[in-house]
Amino acid sequence: MSATFSQGSDTAVPIRIVDTEGLSALKASLGAPDQTWLEGQGFAAKLGQFVLLPASDGSVGSVLAGRGNASARERGRFHLADLATRLPNGVYSLSDDTDPEIAEELALGWLLQSYRFDRYKKAGSAAAGLVAPAGVDAGRLETIAAGATLACDLINTPASDMGPDALETAVRDLAGAFGAEINVTTGADLLEKNLPMIHAVGRASDQAPRLLDLRWGHAAGPKVTLVGKGVCFDTGGLNIKPGRSMGLMKKDMGGAANVLGLARMIMSSNLPVQLRVLVPAVENSISAGAFRPQDVLTSRKGLSVEINNTDAEGRLVLADALTLGDEETPDLMICMATLTGAARVALGPDLPPYFTDQQGLASDLEASAQRVSDPLWRLPFWNPYEKMIEPDIADLDNAPSGGFAGAITAALFLRRFVENAAEFAHFDIYGWTPSALPARPKGGACQGARAIFDMISHRYGGTGDAA
C-alpha cells in the first residue's frame, strides 16, 4: 500500500527548515532556553542534521531540520526525505514559511521514503506521518507515490511469485481498477498473431510467453504508447549467466514495472490521452526448446535477426512490441527496459540514460527531470555505429561483438522497429537502488517514470510541477 498524507494538522509537530546561511537569524528569533538547547545539541543546520526542541511539558514541541548550503545540496536530492524514518513516531507538519518548492520536494520525498516491501517479512516501525503542506497538490503527489509503489512492488517480488502469469494478473488488476481494456496473446497464439520473437525468447519456460496489451483513455486525445520489457527472470538462456550476474535478475522486468507505474499515474490523473501499454512478458529459461546462438529469427517487422548471444533477449521481445505499437502511428512512444550493463558502467545505477532523435522531446524531458528531481541523461542514437548491428547473414545482430557502446547499439537496434511514431524515446533504466538513499529505499526503483509523467502532464494535461 502506498503512503498517504496524515490528517490532524492541529496536533502536528511543526518542522522548520533552515540552511546554514539562515541559522544566525533563526537563533536570534528563539528564546534563551531554545538557544541554549541548540548550542548543547551542536546544531549547525548541516544537511540532514535535525534537532528536537522540547515543549514546556517535555514533549516534542517542534523540529529544526538542517538544509546545509548550496554546495552540499548539489550532491544529491530529496535530502530531507529521511526525516520520515528518523523522526520519532508521530504526525508532523511544515512551518508556514517553508519555501513552496522545498515543501513540494519534501512532501513527495516523505511519501517515497515511507515505502516498505512487506510481502514476506513484517516491516519495521512505520514511518512518521506528514500533513500535506499548504499549497501542495496532495492528491497528485499521492498519485505519483502510488505509481512508484506499484513499480517497486513488482520489481521486489521474486520470480517465484512474479513470473509471466503473475505479471499478467498485475496488469489485469490495474486495468480493472481504472476501467481499462486488456487483451492478452499467449503461447502459440503469438505465432498466429505474428509476434515471433516474443514467442522465441519465452518458449523454453514452463510459463508461456505472452503480450499484455492495455488500452485506456480519451478517444480524441493524443496517442501515448508505453512499451516495457517484461523479462520476469533472465538466466541468460543457453548463454547462461554466471551466478553473480544472475542474482538480481528478478528485476529484469523493471521496464514493465515502471511503465505500469507510469500508466497508473496517467490513469489516476485522468489525463486526456489515448493510452496504450504493451508488455511482452516472458522468462528467458533453458530447456530443449530454448532459442540458440546463431539462430536467425524473423521479427514482426520482417527484419531478420541473427542471435549471437541469447542473453541479449530483451531487445528481441521489445522489437515485436515496438513494431505493433508503431503500426498505430502514436504521437508519443516510450520504451523502458533494464537493457544493458553498458548503461550502468557509463552512468551508474542512479542516472538512467535515454535516447531520442527529437530535440523538442529531449528538451521537455530534461525540463521535467529537473523540475521533479528525477534525473535523466541523454545519450545519442549515434548513426555511425549502425554498421555494428548489421551482421553478414541477417538484417540485424542482437549482440554485436567487441563490447563497445553497448547501450547505444542496443538503442539503435530498437530504433529499427520504430518508423511511424511522431516521437520516440528509449530509456535504459537500472530499476534498482543498491544502497538506501533519501526517498529511495534499497531495492526496486521507479526511475524516469515521474519525469515522463510530468512531461506528459505539461504537454497534454496542462498540469504538472509536482516534485
Side-chain angles (χ1 to χ4, degrees):
M1 181 178 294
S2 60
T4 57
F5 290 112
S6 297
Q7 305 300 315
S9 57
D10 292 341
T11 59
V13 176
I15 299 173
R16 188 170 180 181
I17 298 171
V18 58
D19 54 31
T20 52
E21 294 85 355
L23 182 58
S24 296
L26 171 69
K27 285 183 176 180
S29 71
L30 298 175
D34 284 340
Q35 292 183 14
T36 301
W37 181 260
L38 288 186
E39 292 296 332
Q41 297 295 313
F43 181 72
K46 293 180 180 179
L47 186 62
Q49 187 182 25
F50 73 89
V51 64
L52 308 178
L53 293 178
S56 58
D57 63 359
S59 63
V60 178
S62 62
V63 178
L64 295 182
R67 194 164 172 262
N69 56 32
S71 177
R73 293 191 296 272
E74 287 176 354
R75 301 183 67 174
R77 53 194 165 113
F78 291 116
H79 298 291
L80 302 178
D82 60 358
L83 289 172
T85 47
R86 295 172 63 204
L87 289 174
N89 283 343
V91 177
Y92 298 83
S93 63
L94 295 181
S95 61
D96 293 338
D97 61 351
T98 304
D99 179 275
E101 290 187 5
I102 296 173
E104 186 105 347
E105 180 176 301
L106 188 147
L108 177 59
W110 193 291
L111 297 180
L112 299 176
Q113 180 75 20
S114 301
Y115 171 78
R116 297 288 185 277
F117 182 66
D118 58 3
R119 178 167 177 171
Y120 305 100
K121 181 179 180 180
K122 184 177 180 180
S125 58
L130 180 71
V131 176
V136 165
D137 187 341
R140 182 176 173 82
L141 295 188
E142 289 175 339
T143 289
I144 292 169
T149 292
L150 174 61
C152 293
D153 278 350
L154 292 172
I155 296 170
N156 284 326
T157 304
S160 55
D161 290 319
M162 190 49 64
D165 291 343
L167 187 54
E168 176 183 334
T169 298
V171 177
R172 288 189 181 277
D173 289 345
L174 182 64
F178 293 98
E181 298 177 4
I182 182 169
N183 181 65
V184 179
T185 306
T186 307
D189 289 345
L190 290 166
L191 297 176
E192 293 184 13
K193 296 293 182 64
N194 192 23
L195 297 162
M197 294 207 295
I198 298 174
H199 181 270
V201 171
R203 70 193 184 202
S205 173
D206 289 339
Q207 294 190 35
R210 64 207 68 193
L211 178 71
L212 312 175
D213 187 349
L214 178 150
R215 292 178 182 269
W216 171 93
H218 303 258
K223 296 178 182 178
V224 175
T225 298
L226 310 178
V227 181
K229 175 185 170 185
V231 179
C232 295
F233 194 83
D234 181 19
T235 66
L238 293 175
N239 291 112
I240 190 168
K241 294 177 182 286
R244 184 174 181 180
S245 298
M246 211 184 298
L248 273 181
M249 283 301 99
K250 70 175 184 178
K251 78 170 185 66
D252 212 25
M253 39 66 69
N258 271 265
V259 299
L260 292 172
L262 172 57
R264 193 194 190 287
M265 297 177 199
I266 291 170
M267 293 188 292
S268 182
S269 302
N270 197 27
L271 293 186
V273 299
Q274 297 182 62
L275 177 66
R276 189 179 191 186
V277 181
L278 295 168
V279 173
V282 302
E283 183 177 3
N284 188 19
S285 298
I286 299 173
S287 76
F291 73 120
R292 298 164 291 259
Q294 268 71 65
D295 281 356
V296 175
L297 306 179
T298 300
S299 67
R300 177 181 182 86
K301 195 173 184 65
L303 295 173
S304 59
V305 180
E306 182 180 10
I307 306 303
N308 280 310
N309 192 326
T310 62
D311 195 20
E313 83 300 330
R315 65 201 70 184
L316 303 176
V317 299
L318 288 170
D320 276 354
L322 286 168
T323 300
L324 179 62
D326 191 56
E327 289 166 3
E328 288 194 343
T329 314
D331 296 285
L332 173 66
M333 185 149 67
I334 298 289
C335 173
M336 301 191 82
T338 53
L339 204 62
T340 70
R344 253 48 68 199
V345 171
L347 298 178
D350 197 39
L351 182 58
Y354 75 98
F355 301 78
T356 185
D357 283 321
Q358 288 78 43
Q359 182 58 47
L361 177 58
S363 297
D364 288 349
L365 282 168
E366 287 165 12
S368 286
Q370 177 70 25
R371 186 161 46 234
V372 303
S373 300
D374 193 14
L376 301 168
W377 195 266
R378 187 183 183 187
L379 291 182
F381 280 124
W382 188 245
N383 290 327
Y385 290 165
E386 286 278 4
K387 60 181 179 293
M388 295 170 65
I389 61 171
E390 296 171 346
D392 294 333
I393 68 168
D395 295 316
L396 294 171
D397 183 340
N398 84 316
S401 61
F404 291 128
I408 296 175
T409 55
L412 290 171
F413 181 98
L414 295 178
R415 189 178 65 169
R416 290 290 187 99
F417 298 88
V418 179
E419 290 184 336
N420 302 317
E423 293 182 303
F424 169 64
H426 159 60
F427 294 75
D428 192 339
I429 65 172
Y430 189 47
W432 192 261
T433 302
S435 299
L437 296 165
R440 287 149 288 163
K442 181 179 178 180
C446 182
Q447 292 184 309
R450 291 189 296 104
I452 299 168
F453 174 63
D454 185 82
M455 180 270 292
I456 292 173
S457 298
H458 274 82
R459 280 186 161 200
Y460 307 132
T463 60
D465 295 327

